[in-house]
Amino acid sequence: MTPDRSSTGEQNGVGLMRIVVADKSGIDRLNELGVDLAEYVKPVDNGIEVHAILSPEESQSLRDMGFDVQDAISDQSDYTENVSERAASVRALQALAASTDNLTVLRSEWFTSLDNQLFLNVEVKSSAGADSTTVLTVSWDSGAGTAIGSGGTSTLSRFTDAGQYMYHRFSNPLAIDAAPTKATITSNKGGSVTVDVSKWLGSPRKATGDHPYVSDFVDHYMDPTEVTARFTSLAAEFPKLAQIVDLPYKTNGYRRQAQAQFGTVAASTVYVSSKAYGSEGGNDISMSLVNAGANAPLTVGVSGKAVTVNVATNGSGAVTSTAAQVVAAVNGNADAAKLLTASLYRGNAGTGVVAAAGVTKLTDNLKAPASVSRDPFQMKVLRIGKHRDGSKVGVFLYCQEHAREWVTPLVCVESAERLLRNYAQDPNTRKIVDDLDIFILPVVNPDGAHYSMYDYNMQRKNMTNYCPASSADPGNRNAWGVDINRNFSVGSAFDGYNGGGTSCTGETYSGPSELSEPEARNEVWLVDNFPNIKLSMNTHSYGGYFMWPPGAYKTAGREVLPRVDQGTEAFFWTSSDYILSRVQEYRGTAIWPGRTGPVTDVLYSAAGNSADEHWYNRGIIGWDFEVGADVYNPTTKRFTAVGFQPSFAEGHEEAMEFANGNIGILEVARAYATDKIQPKTAVKIVGQEPGGTTFTFTTSEPANVYYTLDGSRPTFDSPKLALAGMREGVQNITVNSTTTVNWFSVDIAGNVESNYKPDGNGKNYNKQTVTVQK
Ligand SMILES: [Zn+2]
């Protein structure tokens, strides 16, 4: 089934619908039908619940095929609310951006705690504080007569409540060394003020908290133009810690050919497409079908950018030109053919007689404001690190491969802001930025994301139209494009894997070939060009998942891409525990064990996805987040799915908690980068009976074990301890006679147990005899 996006209305009445299938084969069947599935799979009493983006016609057609299509999770009224909320927020920001801000100091004081530690407390309100990019910095002296700044400098946290800006402050009082007398507060919006600092309270009290940590830098859904501008300004503000990496392949751009359609009945319908993009003159073209009176021949005339088709008529003045004849006449006129191409509707032969039509302007139908460029988009990566010379382990964080996943770029923005703005004060941030080379790409699919925000909110793919004339009419415009996360070269649809498609209007269309799209090639260029990148996180929405390779299988026999080895899988589970605890810290969201694991185990097959590309081609650990875990309603005692575009209040919370998760990933990456500790292992006997002894190995940390049973020296070519099966523990090994086991282990960072050299001649591997009773 090809998605039908041509029904009524601008957004075509499309909604996010709940479907219940009996088992996983039902999901595979929906995938094969080209149904636009959300990244969400939930076991329910009578099967598995999945969510699909469907027009009313598509819902009906699936019901006709026997699918249990249930109610809507979200529809167009939710989109309308989101759009107006965002517009109000953007207007307010534009008004604020015009002038230097005024700073009003609410409090400035120091105090002493029980153990005589000094603390500073400052609260300042900026007239531009409603703008989340407003950042206030405080510098203070170290006593009477000393210079401002001699006591220290720190960034204030922006405090909001119920969506309203309150003021800037330290989230916790800041520990200081000497009692200050004066402080200067400066704003990145130009404001500055110096005030006295007084002593607060006479009696000491217990200190709370530790270092101040600033967060919360996003206050509305952002389009790719805004996000990219934010990254550019961050690089300018922090030149010692960050720089922009321009990716080499520009996107096709937020632009389309201009089109017009004449007729409503397929056999008599003609549509035209401009040669030039709408923004490059296509929108200035017009065409008319004129009945000039009885016995007229079919002629085509061009004046400037106006194409006039005088249709043929009979003796009584009735039109006799068919759609096919009009198409041939227009395309056969040299002047008209310079401006546009005429086509028949959806492959129809066009034998129906056309109807006359007045002057009709061609349009590209694009509604974004002029501030969104129609040119090819320059994708930009923000590279953050104290040492950006390739000497540090690289981590690639990237967001919004799928356009409609509006929360995801906010996760990347919030992560970048936290790293840069906490560097000066927060020791943990300093360690991360000092020891890693972090690459953040906030929007992988900028053209599609602009289209999702301004034209069709359920857009998933990019905007490039590969359709032939038979499916390139304007009614199909919301169905064009390539699914970036199906365009990669490992386990792809072209290799026969499930979950990608070849229909140019299908929602998981994999493109004309692997890596055909500049957006996908940019990702590959980055990891090829910076081989120090060892870990990556691909952030999607929704459902609340934490996943890793393999991410694709062939339907026949469910032939999965090779599973990761035992040591790596153990590392993934250990890391999950750490990273997901960080997510949970924010508001208590627990990512469920059932939504943690390899993509193919917990979601479905996604042929040609980017995490598989990074892992199988380069050995880069490729993780995926699906932000937006189901929200628990204590009244109904039910979990509710949040959808792609929840109200901003919920989207904000998702951005905050998964930015926590990104920081957790960086902490895991730093532990990996600085790990010098060798793993320790032991043989563990798990069963013994006459004629056979079964054993396995235990490890002190995630590590791979290479072993021999024939007395030979173990090397990297020796058998490797494997996993017993999907989501099971390590394998057991059975020997039938008394055997000497020789082995060593190596952790994820490459540390070999006892400093053994598997490629050398040393004998410092582990040895143990496993006895078998007669
Ligand atoms: Zn996605």
Side-chain angles (χ1 to χ4, degrees):
M1 187 180 77
T2 298
D4 174 9
R5 295 286 182 265
S6 60
S7 75
T8 51
E10 274 309 314
Q11 298 272 339
N12 304 336
V14 167
L16 184 59
M17 308 295 294
R18 209 184 304 273
I19 304 177
V20 174
V21 293
D23 56 25
K24 264 207 154 166
S25 69
I27 302 176
D28 293 343
R29 187 151 164 257
L30 288 169
N31 262 328
E32 280 156 16
L33 287 166
V35 171
D36 185 4
L37 290 177
E39 288 138 5
Y40 184 95
V41 168
K42 178 183 176 183
V44 290
D45 286 349
N46 49 345
I48 301 173
E49 175 182 322
V50 295
H51 300 162
I53 295 79
L54 298 171
S55 67
E57 292 81 358
E58 289 168 343
S59 292
Q60 193 50 51
S61 134
L62 284 177
R63 286 189 187 108
D64 292 346
M65 293 164 77
F67 283 98
D68 180 13
V69 181
Q70 305 186 345
D71 56 327
I73 290 153
S74 69
D75 59 21
Q76 297 312 318
S77 61
D78 301 316
Y79 171 65
T80 311
E81 270 175 36
N82 272 328
V83 165
S84 63
E85 180 179 331
R86 178 175 185 278
S89 176
V90 168
R91 267 196 308 277
L93 294 183
Q94 284 163 346
L96 283 175
S99 59
T100 294
D101 55 348
N102 289 318
L103 303 181
T104 307
V105 180
L106 307 177
R107 302 198 75 99
S108 61
E109 54 226 347
W110 64 271
F111 60 88
T112 313
S113 76
L114 279 171
D115 49 5
N116 285 327
Q117 172 66 52
L118 301 181
F119 289 93
L120 179 64
N121 180 65
V122 178
E123 297 167 8
V124 187
K125 188 161 191 168
S126 159
S127 61
D131 180 343
S132 67
T133 67
T134 300
V135 175
L136 303 188
T137 306
V138 190
S139 295
W140 57 95
D141 65 18
S142 49
T146 60
I148 290 284
S150 61
T153 294
S154 183
T155 305
L156 290 173
S157 206
R158 187 170 159 273
F159 172 39
T160 60
D161 190 39
Q164 294 292 309
Y165 168 66
M166 309 311 281
Y167 48 84
H168 283 72
R169 61 173 185 184
F170 295 124
S171 336
N172 296 302
L174 182 74
I176 52 173
D177 296 324
T181 59
K182 284 187 184 307
T184 298
I185 299 98
T186 54
S187 164
N188 65 342
K189 297 293 158 63
S192 177
V193 62
T194 298
V195 292
D196 291 331
V197 182
S198 55
K199 184 164 191 290
W200 186 60
L201 299 184
S203 54
R205 64 180 194 136
K206 188 93 183 115
T208 56
D210 45 5
H211 54 78
Y213 187 79
V214 292
S215 61
D216 201 344
F217 296 97
V218 294
D219 66 353
H220 63 281
Y221 284 125
M222 298 171 83
D223 74 24
T225 301
E226 292 176 282
V227 167
T228 305
R230 174 85 72 98
F231 269 34
T232 303
S233 67
L234 279 176
E237 189 178 346
F238 296 94
K240 290 191 173 140
L241 298 178
Q243 68 191 89
I244 291 290
V245 177
D246 279 328
L247 295 177
Y249 305 105
K250 287 192 178 175
T251 69
N252 191 58
Y254 175 76
R255 56 183 181 174
R256 284 251 160 97
Q257 263 74 29
Q259 296 187 302
Q261 185 167 312
F262 300 85
T264 50
V265 178
S268 51
T269 292
V270 170
Y271 78 91
V272 292
S273 306
S274 61
K275 290 271 160 77
Y277 287 104
S279 52
E280 293 169 4
N283 287 339
D284 304 328
I285 300 170
S286 67
M287 189 166 110
S288 54
L289 301 179
V290 178
N291 180 341
N295 292 316
L298 173 61
T299 61
V300 176
V302 177
S303 168
K305 290 202 165 183
V307 177
T308 305
V309 179
N310 286 302
V311 295
T313 51
N314 63 17
S316 55
V319 178
T320 58
S321 293
T322 64
Q325 288 165 342
V326 169
V327 165
V330 170
N331 292 340
N333 179 292
D335 291 332
K338 279 181 200 151
L339 295 176
L340 49 74
T341 304
S343 305
L344 292 164
Y345 186 76
R346 307 226 171 161
N348 198 283
T351 54
V353 169
V354 300
V359 175
T360 305
K361 288 268 278 185
L362 276 63
T363 173
D364 61 12
N365 270 307
L366 296 179
K367 297 180 184 63
S371 56
V372 173
S373 169
R374 267 61 174 170
D375 294 332
F377 195 91
Q378 173 63 61
M379 293 166 61
K380 289 178 185 291
V381 166
L382 186 63
R383 183 180 188 183
I384 298 174
K386 182 82 171 114
H387 308 283
R388 302 183 304 281
D389 54 6
S391 64
K392 299 293 179 183
V393 164
V395 183
F396 178 28
L397 306 175
Y398 56 107
C399 295
Q400 206 171 23
E401 281 183 340
H402 290 143
R404 63 196 175 198
E405 298 167 7
W406 288 11
V407 177
T408 61
L410 306 184
V411 177
C412 271
V413 169
E414 176 71 17
S415 303
E417 292 269 3
R418 288 189 191 179
L419 291 172
L420 293 171
R421 301 210 184 277
N422 285 299
Y423 182 82
Q425 285 295 324
D426 176 48
N428 186 47
T429 302
R430 188 178 285 257
K431 282 181 201 160
I432 291 169
V433 173
D434 284 350
D435 291 341
L436 294 173
D437 196 356
I438 303 155
F439 298 81
I440 306 184
L441 175 57
V443 184
V444 182
N445 180 5
D447 301 342
H450 279 128
Y451 195 73
S452 172
M453 201 152 259
Y454 296 108
D455 300 282
Y456 171 59
N457 75 308
M458 283 300 178
Q459 179 77 14
R460 167 185 171 96
K461 306 184 285 177
N462 71 5
M463 284 179 68
T464 303
N465 177 11
Y466 286 102
C467 287
S470 58
S471 47
D473 57 281
N476 260 340
R477 66 181 181 276
N478 291 338
W480 300 330
V482 177
D483 185 342
I484 306 301
N485 204 30
R486 300 293 184 276
N487 188 233
F488 290 88
S489 72
V490 172
S492 75
F494 306 97
D495 302 328
Y497 285 78
N498 178 287
T502 55
S503 162
C504 68
T505 55
E507 283 297 327
T508 53
Y509 177 48
S510 297
S513 59
E514 290 173 354
L515 300 174
S516 58
E517 302 310 290
E519 295 89 342
R521 286 203 303 279
N522 277 334
E523 275 190 33
V524 169
W525 177 87
L526 190 82
V527 293
D528 278 345
N529 211 55
F530 299 99
N532 57 321
I533 294 175
K534 302 293 180 207
L535 302 97
S536 66
M537 167 50 75
N538 180 11
T539 298
H540 285 251
S541 79
Y542 59 86
Y545 291 79
F546 182 71
M547 301 180 288
W548 53 82
Y553 53 74
K554 292 178 178 172
T555 307
R558 203 174 182 279
E559 183 191 325
V560 180
L561 282 169
R563 289 188 172 271
V564 304
D565 60 33
Q566 176 277 132
T568 308
E569 181 86 0
F571 174 73
F572 285 168
W573 282 105
T574 309
S575 306
S576 300
D577 189 61
Y578 186 85
I579 292 163
L580 299 180
S581 296
R582 297 290 266 142
V583 171
Q584 189 176 36
E585 271 172 20
Y586 182 72
R587 60 165 169 169
T589 300
I591 302 305
W592 306 345
R595 293 185 180 181
T596 302
V599 176
T600 50
D601 295 359
V602 301
L603 193 60
Y604 47 60
S605 178
N609 71 78
S610 59
D612 284 344
E613 171 81 33
H614 301 329
W615 171 250
Y616 292 101
N617 277 349
R618 294 165 193 84
I620 296 168
I621 285 168
W623 276 315
D624 307 284
F625 271 148
E626 297 278 352
V627 309
D630 295 1
V631 173
Y632 187 69
N633 180 330
T635 310
T636 62
K637 298 193 185 326
R638 285 185 58 165
F639 281 98
T640 312
V642 294
F644 294 109
Q645 295 150 17
S647 70
F648 182 74
E650 165 61 21
H652 170 269
E653 297 296 280
E654 294 172 16
M656 292 302 120
E657 64 192 357
F658 282 90
N660 269 22
N662 267 348
I663 301 299
I665 284 167
L666 296 173
E667 288 163 347
V668 164
R670 182 177 174 274
Y672 161 92
T674 57
D675 178 14
K676 297 280 178 283
I677 297 171
Q678 296 162 3
K680 289 195 179 353
T681 51
V683 160
K684 179 186 172 195
I685 305 295
V686 293
Q688 218 163 5
E689 52 187 61
T693 296
T694 300
F695 70 95
T696 186
F697 298 90
T698 58
T699 61
S700 58
E701 59 168 310
N704 277 310
V705 176
Y706 295 82
Y707 64 91
T708 64
L709 302 177
D710 60 4
S712 66
R713 193 176 170 278
T715 70
F716 284 121
D717 294 327
S718 304
K720 189 155 75 163
L721 184 68
L723 287 165
M726 175 174 131
R727 296 168 88 79
E728 293 175 33
V730 296
Q731 72 175 140
N732 291 329
I733 299 159
T734 301
V735 289
N736 300 316
S737 59
T738 294
T739 300
T740 300
V741 183
N742 294 334
W743 82 95
F744 68 93
S745 67
V746 52
D747 70 13
I748 294 299
N751 298 303
V752 179
E753 186 170 6
S754 309
N755 215 20
Y756 174 61
K757 300 273 185 292
D759 300 328
N761 299 310
K763 297 265 195 254
N764 55 329
Y765 48 82
N766 301 303
K767 307 164 198 77
Q768 184 169 328
T769 300
V770 173
T771 320
V772 176
Q773 301 159 8
K774 296 279 185 213

